[in-house]
Amino acid sequence: MLRWVRQQLGFDPPHQSDTRTIYIANRFPQHGHYVPQKFADNRIVSSKYTVWNFVPKNLFEQFRRVANFYFLIIFLVQLMIDTPTSPITSGLPLFFVITVTAIKQGYEDWLRHKADNEVNGAPVYVVRSGGLVKTRSKNIRVGDIVRVAKDETFPVDLVLLSSDRVDGSCHVTTASLDGETNLKTHVAVPETAVLQSVANLDKLVAVIECQQPEADLYRFVGRITVSQQTEEIVRPLGPESLLLRGARLKNTKEIFGVAVYTGMETKMALNYKSKSQKRSAVEKSMNSFLIIYLIILLFEAILSTILKYAWQAEEKWDEPWYNEKTEHERNSSKILRFISDFLAFLVLYNFIIPISLYVTVEMQKFLGSFFIGWDLDLYHEETNQRAQVNTSDLNEELGQVEYVFTDKTGTLTENEMQFRECSINGIKYQEVNGKLTPEGFSEDSPDGNIHSLMKEEELFLKAVCLCHTVQINADQTDSADGPWHANGIASPLEYYASSPDEKALVEAASRVGVVFTGTTGDSMEVKSLGKPERYKLLHVLEFDPNRRRMSVIVESPSGEKLLFTKGAESSILPRSKSGEIDKTRVHVDEFALKGLRTLCVAYRRFTPEEYQEIGKRLHEARTALQQREERLADVFNFIERDLELLGATGVEDKLQDKVQETIEALRLAGIKVWVLTGDKHETAVSVSLSCGHFHRTMNILELVQHKSDSTCAEQLRQLAKRIKEDHVIQHGLVVDGTSLSLALREHEKLFMEVCKNCSAVLCCRMAPLQKAKVVRLLKTSPEKPITLAIGDGANDVSMIQEAHVGIGIMGKEGRQAVRNSDYAIARFKFLSKLLFVHGHFYYIRIATLVQYFFYKNVCFITPQFLYQFFCLFSQQTLYDSVYLTLYNICFTSLPVLIYSLFEQHVHPHVLQSKPVLYRDISKNAHLGFKPFLYWTILGFFHAFVFFYGSYLLMGEDTSLLGNGQMFGNWTFGTLVFTVMVITVTMKMALETHFWTWINHFVTWGSIVFYFIFSLFYGGIIWPFLHTQDMYFVFVQLLSSGSAWFAIILIVVACLFIDVVKKVLYRHLQPTSTEKAQMYSNRVALSDEFIALQPLSRARNQLSKIRWKKIRVQSAQHVTLLKAGTEGRTIGNC
């Protein structure tokens, strides 16, 4: 117990070594010196709180917020000293905010607990005491042998021991982990693969040594030592042996595996860790404003305290006859009295800090984020995918983007590969009617005799069919006839691949006569022009981003050992010693200029001695526990040399719909677009030109193929000089990965200067971490621009997380980008609506919300400050304590919240059709110092009008009632408060451009509610109130015609100047947004845009779209007509 407590506190970490030793079935050594390692249990804990720590932990987290902590201090001060207002005035709003937030967080955590209990209580089968024992998932221990059946998920991270197949292989899908839906093959070591029964597994004596848990899903280093009679056999364990928790078993009846990582140490759980918290520019501005208002508060409190003592310097005011001091007060310390008075004024003016601002902003962000998901224009019918919001905290940041960093493949393109051309032995070929045809030749008889393949062509196609990770649908491979129907007609094989390139190449090879028909055990089967051949798979040299190639070593039917390699031309051509290298290089460049993705293919023959040496080196590297990756990389480089080049392939990846229009719109909006891709230089430039990223008239500068710092620096200086001298309006820059590394090493400032003067930048041959480094470089530059990164693959995750806003594309490269993004959309073209409409609206709404909150609190508390000049700074409150408490919670909260959800100052169609309007809100334009100063001065002006207007109209003549009774100070304060509630509510109405029935209801309803509440509060004697200063005050006030006249006159006086200012500015100096507002007034409002609609209608329309199979009796198509735009068609429903 003590050890557990120490571990929880972090004093006694459970793992001291770099590796862990696992005894299968927990058969520990019998000698007495062995101390078993301590491992985590198998409970998954995704919740933050427990029953015991919820209250203290939640309160601690909430009071870390400056505003909450400030109000707590004020509340404690009110409890400790004699203050002019009741502690309830600060305590109740604070309690409300804390309680609402705690209930929300508590409910969310309860849902997590519920989900955890379901997972931890799931039934599992474990091999114990010679039989299968049913237990709960949370009871699995490291070392237990677990049985998993078909279509079940793995409850822990397991090392595969055996399956129902002879070769010990199984298929799994990791869709829930990385989104990849293709089947992955995992294999057991031969010594345990034969143990297919519980009885045999119970006799297994083996030890696994592996690395300690880490989050990388694709990395696992270990080895298994199997004791057989007198010898011990050591086998390497890698990712192909590890079955991850959360993955699902497919096409395999059952498997047995040993638990190596459990509970919160599984790779799935280690990937739970939250992303670094991103903070929007609006939130930072809000905190700055809060500090300024805190300074104003301290200034008012100090000034009031000084003036009080200056006033009391005269004896007649220090101790007037009606308020004599006690003996204790006369003898008390002056310093303590000064501090006490200062704190009392601090309490009196504390409402200038808006406590409800944070909770209102949170509600606005949370509720507002639903509009993105409900937007029909962001819904993709073909894939039935709608936009997804993972982080609502950054909604307004969508309206501040200055740089967009985008991936190419799958983001700008469809990631649907189609084989177009290839180069074999220096000759270019195209596919014509299912046959390889040399360039310049045409096939006269497409349906004629079977086309024969030359030796070089056949070897090239076999290399394509053998060097890959493609799998075949199990229903086809497991059938008795294989991929053939009973009538002898071939059934097209259904291939699965994690890489669309590989799938396209294998399918192309099958169309021209060399068909990959599947794997059986350690053999790969190929049919070459109908003749079956079996190749024994000896080794797979996996692809990695550094090598940029993958290889397989196979044994041909004749017994020859062959290496087939496929990869980028930069990694294959330098390692080739024979073949048509120069011609192939020319062809690769030609393919790239056409925008095709290129791969080079090569092979090597091994002598028996060479293969024996290779096998020995591979075994040593794969069984190493330390620095395994480095050793394997060295061995792979040793193997993949002296290659004979076979040829190259060119695969086309089509551009997505409306990519060119979207990039052009981004450019008009003042957003610079950078394309970061791993493709080769020529391919990337070709695609950039075709998608409009580069213009044909653009002066394209290049920083490529630099090997040294000196040449890179010299080229950068020349580019900078050329940009200054050249009078071409736009420049584009192309930089490759190696040159970028050199530029960022010592010439970062010069490189940034060149980049900022270019309207478009293309970075090719980029590694994932380089992408993130480029984003960080721009993000941390002196201007600190707001960056957005968009991508669809796992290689884009680092830049998505690095950028201020990360957007994932729901593409074909898995869901890792979507899971790690802040927002997810189905197509790149949706980015324009997301930024120009949603981003614009969110920013305008929250900018107004934040400044309006400060404005209405200045209006609220400034009359209280002015009142002190008329009461000898006695700390007398102007308002009743109930009004102090409910002003921000009830009377003025709903209109601004509804405004922040529904406001649309310009019609969405105008915003999307005129991207230049996006420039008006860039660089936090509406939350800068000038707008903040305007709202603050306006607040002070209105407060002065409230107070002195009321004073002038009724301060001198207090007998405004018909019966001669006089108004008192509570009536005066209530008049000021009434004018204030009406004015600030009407000010919100003046700011509203888009009126719905909800806006009308909350705006006029707030004023009506204030009157009704005041009548009931002051018209009835409430037994639970100790004092009731407001009894009959409001009724008395409203019974005076003069008071009604004063209310109307003061409200009109305050708002008249606002109206005049708006009219004059709109006609004399209209901004582009105001011009667009006048234009949009002519646009008929429609239900075209989902963001316009009430929540219920939005939900209903989206539910209609979800049902893709609509029965239509007489029509071929169902057309959803959108007002003012083209029809949307669901074809052949």
Side-chain angles (χ1 to χ4, degrees), residues 71 86 133 148 345 375 383 425 508 681 816 910 943 1090:
F71 271 88
S86 166
V133 178
V148 180
F345 280 117
D375 192 340
T383 56
N425 199 31
H681 171 214
Q816 277 186 300
V910 177
I1090 204 71

PDB file of all heavy atoms in Angstrom, residues 71 86 133 148 345 375 383 425 508 681 816 910 943 1090:
ATOM      1  N   PHE A  71     -12.897  37.083  -7.627  1.00  0.00           N
ATOM      2  CA  PHE A  71     -14.190  37.191  -6.951  1.00  0.00           C
ATOM      3  C   PHE A  71     -14.214  36.400  -5.647  1.00  0.00           C
ATOM      4  O   PHE A  71     -14.941  36.755  -4.717  1.00  0.00           O
ATOM      5  CB  PHE A  71     -15.314  36.739  -7.885  1.00  0.00           C
ATOM      6  CG  PHE A  71     -15.861  37.856  -8.719  1.00  0.00           C
ATOM      7  CD1 PHE A  71     -15.294  38.170  -9.940  1.00  0.00           C
ATOM      8  CD2 PHE A  71     -16.917  38.617  -8.276  1.00  0.00           C
ATOM      9  CE1 PHE A  71     -15.781  39.209 -10.699  1.00  0.00           C
ATOM     10  CE2 PHE A  71     -17.407  39.669  -9.022  1.00  0.00           C
ATOM     11  CZ  PHE A  71     -16.847  39.970 -10.242  1.00  0.00           C
ATOM     12  N   SER A  86     -23.669  43.343   0.675  1.00  0.00           N
ATOM     13  CA  SER A  86     -23.746  42.017   1.281  1.00  0.00           C
ATOM     14  C   SER A  86     -22.800  41.053   0.579  1.00  0.00           C
ATOM     15  O   SER A  86     -22.574  41.164  -0.634  1.00  0.00           O
ATOM     16  CB  SER A  86     -25.185  41.506   1.187  1.00  0.00           C
ATOM     17  OG  SER A  86     -25.237  40.124   1.466  1.00  0.00           O
ATOM     18  N   VAL A 133     -10.365 -19.716 -18.555  1.00  0.00           N
ATOM     19  CA  VAL A 133     -11.113 -19.140 -17.433  1.00  0.00           C
ATOM     20  C   VAL A 133     -11.729 -17.824 -17.884  1.00  0.00           C
ATOM     21  O   VAL A 133     -11.034 -16.971 -18.453  1.00  0.00           O
ATOM     22  CB  VAL A 133     -10.187 -18.894 -16.215  1.00  0.00           C
ATOM     23  CG1 VAL A 133     -10.965 -18.241 -15.078  1.00  0.00           C
ATOM     24  CG2 VAL A 133      -9.556 -20.203 -15.762  1.00  0.00           C
ATOM     25  N   VAL A 148      -8.638 -14.565 -27.951  1.00  0.00           N
ATOM     26  CA  VAL A 148      -9.515 -13.593 -28.600  1.00  0.00           C
ATOM     27  C   VAL A 148     -10.126 -14.262 -29.821  1.00  0.00           C
ATOM     28  O   VAL A 148      -9.415 -14.885 -30.615  1.00  0.00           O
ATOM     29  CB  VAL A 148      -8.742 -12.319 -29.011  1.00  0.00           C
ATOM     30  CG1 VAL A 148      -9.672 -11.317 -29.697  1.00  0.00           C
ATOM     31  CG2 VAL A 148      -8.080 -11.674 -27.801  1.00  0.00           C
ATOM     32  N   PHE A 345     -14.010  49.935  -0.668  1.00  0.00           N
ATOM     33  CA  PHE A 345     -14.242  50.512  -1.999  1.00  0.00           C
ATOM     34  C   PHE A 345     -13.983  49.473  -3.100  1.00  0.00           C
ATOM     35  O   PHE A 345     -14.667  49.466  -4.121  1.00  0.00           O
ATOM     36  CB  PHE A 345     -13.334  51.727  -2.198  1.00  0.00           C
ATOM     37  CG  PHE A 345     -13.848  52.978  -1.553  1.00  0.00           C
ATOM     38  CD1 PHE A 345     -13.134  53.601  -0.531  1.00  0.00           C
ATOM     39  CD2 PHE A 345     -15.053  53.536  -1.961  1.00  0.00           C
ATOM     40  CE1 PHE A 345     -13.611  54.755   0.064  1.00  0.00           C
ATOM     41  CE2 PHE A 345     -15.536  54.697  -1.359  1.00  0.00           C
ATOM     42  CZ  PHE A 345     -14.819  55.311  -0.340  1.00  0.00           C
ATOM     43  N   ASP A 375     -24.127  22.536 -41.032  1.00  0.00           N
ATOM     44  CA  ASP A 375     -24.097  23.267 -42.300  1.00  0.00           C
ATOM     45  C   ASP A 375     -24.163  22.295 -43.474  1.00  0.00           C
ATOM     46  O   ASP A 375     -23.272  21.479 -43.682  1.00  0.00           O
ATOM     47  CB  ASP A 375     -22.813  24.104 -42.377  1.00  0.00           C
ATOM     48  CG  ASP A 375     -22.851  25.099 -43.518  1.00  0.00           C
ATOM     49  OD1 ASP A 375     -23.653  24.916 -44.450  1.00  0.00           O
ATOM     50  OD2 ASP A 375     -22.078  26.073 -43.472  1.00  0.00           O
ATOM     51  N   THR A 383     -19.616  10.596 -49.631  1.00  0.00           N
ATOM     52  CA  THR A 383     -19.060   9.809 -48.522  1.00  0.00           C
ATOM     53  C   THR A 383     -19.928   9.879 -47.269  1.00  0.00           C
ATOM     54  O   THR A 383     -19.601   9.276 -46.256  1.00  0.00           O
ATOM     55  CB  THR A 383     -17.646  10.320 -48.170  1.00  0.00           C
ATOM     56  OG1 THR A 383     -17.725  11.723 -47.870  1.00  0.00           O
ATOM     57  CG2 THR A 383     -16.696  10.106 -49.329  1.00  0.00           C
ATOM     58  N   ASN A 425      13.194  -0.579 -68.821  1.00  0.00           N
ATOM     59  CA  ASN A 425      14.438  -0.748 -69.580  1.00  0.00           C
ATOM     60  C   ASN A 425      14.652   0.409 -70.570  1.00  0.00           C
ATOM     61  O   ASN A 425      15.096   0.203 -71.700  1.00  0.00           O
ATOM     62  CB  ASN A 425      14.431  -2.101 -70.321  1.00  0.00           C
ATOM     63  CG  ASN A 425      15.828  -2.530 -70.727  1.00  0.00           C
ATOM     64  OD1 ASN A 425      16.796  -2.204 -70.048  1.00  0.00           O
ATOM     65  ND2 ASN A 425      15.939  -3.237 -71.845  1.00  0.00           N
ATOM     66  N   ALA A 508      -2.908  -2.514 -61.918  1.00  0.00           N
ATOM     67  CA  ALA A 508      -2.456  -2.305 -63.296  1.00  0.00           C
ATOM     68  C   ALA A 508      -1.698  -3.531 -63.803  1.00  0.00           C
ATOM     69  O   ALA A 508      -1.901  -3.970 -64.947  1.00  0.00           O
ATOM     70  CB  ALA A 508      -1.570  -1.068 -63.364  1.00  0.00           C
ATOM     71  N   HIS A 681      10.262  17.277 -56.705  1.00  0.00           N
ATOM     72  CA  HIS A 681      10.217  18.675 -57.130  1.00  0.00           C
ATOM     73  C   HIS A 681       9.313  18.872 -58.350  1.00  0.00           C
ATOM     74  O   HIS A 681       8.384  19.691 -58.331  1.00  0.00           O
ATOM     75  CB  HIS A 681      11.666  19.106 -57.414  1.00  0.00           C
ATOM     76  CG  HIS A 681      11.793  20.438 -58.063  1.00  0.00           C
ATOM     77  ND1 HIS A 681      12.786  20.721 -58.975  1.00  0.00           N
ATOM     78  CD2 HIS A 681      11.055  21.562 -57.970  1.00  0.00           C
ATOM     79  CE1 HIS A 681      12.660  21.969 -59.395  1.00  0.00           C
ATOM     80  NE2 HIS A 681      11.617  22.506 -58.789  1.00  0.00           N
ATOM     81  N   GLN A 816      -5.956   9.506 -38.584  1.00  0.00           N
ATOM     82  CA  GLN A 816      -5.078  10.119 -37.589  1.00  0.00           C
ATOM     83  C   GLN A 816      -5.112  11.639 -37.670  1.00  0.00           C
ATOM     84  O   GLN A 816      -5.139  12.320 -36.646  1.00  0.00           O
ATOM     85  CB  GLN A 816      -3.645   9.617 -37.774  1.00  0.00           C
ATOM     86  CG  GLN A 816      -3.389   8.282 -37.100  1.00  0.00           C
ATOM     87  CD  GLN A 816      -1.937   7.894 -37.179  1.00  0.00           C
ATOM     88  OE1 GLN A 816      -1.387   7.749 -38.253  1.00  0.00           O
ATOM     89  NE2 GLN A 816      -1.300   7.706 -36.047  1.00  0.00           N
ATOM     90  N   VAL A 910     -22.845  36.704 -49.632  1.00  0.00           N
ATOM     91  CA  VAL A 910     -21.966  37.828 -49.966  1.00  0.00           C
ATOM     92  C   VAL A 910     -20.565  37.588 -49.410  1.00  0.00           C
ATOM     93  O   VAL A 910     -19.566  37.842 -50.089  1.00  0.00           O
ATOM     94  CB  VAL A 910     -22.548  39.139 -49.407  1.00  0.00           C
ATOM     95  CG1 VAL A 910     -21.617  40.310 -49.683  1.00  0.00           C
ATOM     96  CG2 VAL A 910     -23.923  39.411 -50.004  1.00  0.00           C
ATOM     97  N   ALA A 943     -22.612  56.115 -18.702  1.00  0.00           N
ATOM     98  CA  ALA A 943     -22.739  56.106 -17.240  1.00  0.00           C
ATOM     99  C   ALA A 943     -22.912  57.528 -16.700  1.00  0.00           C
ATOM    100  O   ALA A 943     -23.733  57.775 -15.814  1.00  0.00           O
ATOM    101  CB  ALA A 943     -21.509  55.441 -16.618  1.00  0.00           C
ATOM    102  N   ILE A1090     -27.166  26.847 -43.688  1.00  0.00           N
ATOM    103  CA  ILE A1090     -27.631  26.218 -42.460  1.00  0.00           C
ATOM    104  C   ILE A1090     -27.364  27.088 -41.242  1.00  0.00           C
ATOM    105  O   ILE A1090     -28.090  27.043 -40.260  1.00  0.00           O
ATOM    106  CB  ILE A1090     -26.944  24.836 -42.286  1.00  0.00           C
ATOM    107  CG1 ILE A1090     -27.783  23.923 -41.396  1.00  0.00           C
ATOM    108  CG2 ILE A1090     -25.562  24.959 -41.723  1.00  0.00           C
ATOM    109  CD1 ILE A1090     -29.013  23.447 -42.021  1.00  0.00           C
TER     110      ILE A1090
END
